[in-house]
Amino acid sequence: MIYLTALLGNGLILATASLNSGLHSPMYYFIRHLSFLDICYTSVTLLHMLKYLVTEIKTISIQGCLVQLYFLVAFLGIECLLLAVMAYDRYVAICHPLTYVLFMNRKLCTGLVATSWVCGFLNAMLHTAMTAQVPFCASHEIENVFCDVPQLLKLSCQDTFLNQITLFVVTLLLGVSPFLCIMAFYSHIVRAILRIRTTQGRHKAFSTCSSHLIVVTIFYSTCMFNYNRPSSCHSVKIDTLASVLYNVVTPALNPIIFSLRNKEMKEGLKHILKLQMPFFL
């Protein structure tokens, strides 16, 4: 049910933002990529979980586990960077509205998105290659619902200090650094909103950022909690809950708390549905 919700919700947002000519601004360009990313995200994790529920076969080959790990880490890194890019877009739109079109041109938007995807896949290659070199001498039972770096490292019978240091450093670069950039952008945004004289103007400006800020809070808090704790503090139930929250629940909620609260997106969605189902609308 959650997978269908995420697939349908993000699919509708992707189609609406792509087919409606009024939704081709930089903000909706980034929303399209976020929706496509969330579809990929949930497919990597939930399809395997659904297979386990249907067949009751709770095993996965090492090769299959590494493939799942690669795409999971890649999409995780891409989303961290993409959320920072979206915060920058809101910063320019609110703090520098007169030069927004000049700054956020198509070339820059494409470059920012492409950089996010390239960095995410390069990061995934690093972690997957390092994890593949680790001998799994202990129990091969993963204490999670899908393959992830911390859980795989716990299966090793050799010292994984280098892997853990690499995970920590990359988390700082691709996780903490974008988060700090987002906070810096929003500090400027809040100051700019407070300078707006009319209540209606402040509400309109804040409404374009509130949903993104909610998504950022949920996503980053669960990611940092899952990846930046000492191994001695890990708990199976807590690890599983944190992993499911940022891998499954957040992508399913994104269309609701981020895109569908947008008035222009709602109107575009109604227009698309009216064209496809004229007899029902």
Side-chain angles (χ1 to χ4, degrees), residues 119-141:
C119 289
F121 282 117
L122 289 177
N123 174 51
M125 289 178 60
L126 172 64
H127 285 299
T128 305
M130 293 187 66
T131 305
Q133 301 301 317
V134 174
F136 302 123
C137 306
S139 169
H140 286 190
E141 182 177 348

Side-chain angles (χ1 to χ4, degrees), residues 6 42 85 99 141 171 174 195-196 212 214 273 276:
T42 52
V85 169
T99 56
E141 182 177 348
T171 301
L174 293 185
R195 288 197 296 267
I196 299 176
H212 175 258
I214 294 172
L273 293 177
Q276 298 299 321

Side-chain angles (χ1 to χ4, degrees), residues 40-68:
C40 297
Y41 217 154
T42 52
S43 298
V44 168
T45 55
L46 281 182
L47 287 181
H48 281 278
M49 293 172 61
L50 291 174
K51 184 187 73 173
Y52 300 154
L53 293 174
V54 173
T55 64
E56 297 185 355
I57 300 176
K58 299 181 179 181
T59 60
I60 185 172
S61 65
I62 294 179
Q63 292 79 9
C65 187
L66 290 175
V67 170
Q68 186 184 62

Side-chain angles (χ1 to χ4, degrees), residues 64-81:
C65 187
L66 290 175
V67 170
Q68 186 184 62
L69 172 69
Y70 173 79
F71 286 106
L72 180 65
V73 173
F75 296 144
L76 175 64
I78 295 168
E79 185 145 355
C80 287
L81 296 172

Side-chain angles (χ1 to χ4, degrees), residues 69 73 127 131 147-154 163 167 227:
L69 172 69
V73 173
H127 285 299
T131 305
C147 299
D148 206 352
V149 176
Q151 285 71 36
L152 288 176
L153 294 182
K154 291 174 66 175
N163 298 73
L167 179 63
Y227 287 102

